[in-house]
Amino acid sequence: MGNEAFYPIGTPGEPWGAQERATWLAKQVKQRSYAQDVLSAIDRLRGDFDVAEYGALTYGEEHYPLIVVRSREWRDDLPVVLVTGGVHGYETSGVHGALQFLQQHARDYAGRANVMVVPCVSPWAYERIHRWNPDALDPNRSFRKDSPAGESAALVNLLEPLRDVVLMHIDLHETTDSDESEFRPALAARDGKPFEPGEVPDGFYLVDDADQPQPAFQQAVVEAVAKVTHIADADARGEIIGSPLLLPGVIKFPVKQWNLCAGITNARYATTTEVYPDSPRATPQQCNDAQVAAVRAAIDYALAHRNG
């Protein structure tokens, strides 16, 4: 397949160089405000939580503080539960679901768990409704110590002291129609590879850790979300996005091998949510609510089984 057939930047069969990346970057336009949407919402939480800057990103003339929100009464004898959102900036409910959880439910765990939430890992991409950072890098393939992605490196550094302390980590994502129309074609073009179309599942699903599966944990999260929005069915091959179905609404990836966010720590319970915001059966608020339901079910299960 010729490159011109699926993406307008680059030469078929050749990975992008500096010129192609610059052409791509020039096409990215700011469409919403991290300061207005995210930082202002976090500011309203300062009365109840500890809010800290764990790093910052500067791209050209734009500066983005990276923010973590923690339980105010942090206790070393309590388990740590971690929520991350906005690793892919275009996946809106990941960001707003994390904020909604903080606003409505995080206080419920006072005295039971140390809650740690990073609502928007990739603010530049959030503003441009994009998957990549300005260097055309996917943060969710870059969570390692020597990461070339500043977004990923900052989060790895933040969590390094907690690698063996975190009990549960839930990373909030979406699978969108634009994955097939924009992001996967762009990835193929960037890497000089042919684009092979896939199928976007209609509904919510989870990604388990192939190297440390926790099926009962994943099932508990799916069952909670099913009360809010529909769960994705497998395709005709019995798969979701090319992976075999383990349980209804659950697939698995080797998250540490792929340098995915959910593999940053050694949490016993880890999962990645995937909401489908383009479904005619779901509203934006339902998507946020589904993320919140997933977070609450994940924390509740982990706390109930921490000694099991």
Side-chain angles (χ1 to χ4, degrees), residues 31-67:
Q31 301 182 57
R32 55 190 179 185
S33 171
Y34 173 65
Q36 292 178 9
D37 296 354
V38 181
L39 297 183
S40 63
I42 292 173
D43 282 342
R44 292 191 289 272
L45 298 168
R46 290 179 182 272
D48 295 310
F49 299 94
D50 286 339
V51 176
E53 184 174 323
Y54 67 91
L57 301 168
T58 299
Y59 292 124
E61 298 180 353
E62 296 180 289
H63 181 79
Y64 299 96
L66 300 172
I67 305 298

Side-chain angles (χ1 to χ4, degrees), residues 5 19 21 45 47 69 134 171 197 219 227 239 263 277 285-286 292-293:
Q19 180 177 346
R21 290 172 185 266
L45 298 168
V69 183
D171 189 33
Q219 184 174 8
K227 299 174 183 177
E239 300 174 340
Q285 186 58 55
Q286 272 182 295
V292 172

Side-chain angles (χ1 to χ4, degrees), residues 13-14 25 44 60 65 77 118 139 147 187 203 212 224 226 243 267:
E14 296 184 10
L25 181 59
R44 292 191 289 272
D77 62 318
V118 179
S147 178
L187 174 64
Q212 188 178 321
S243 296

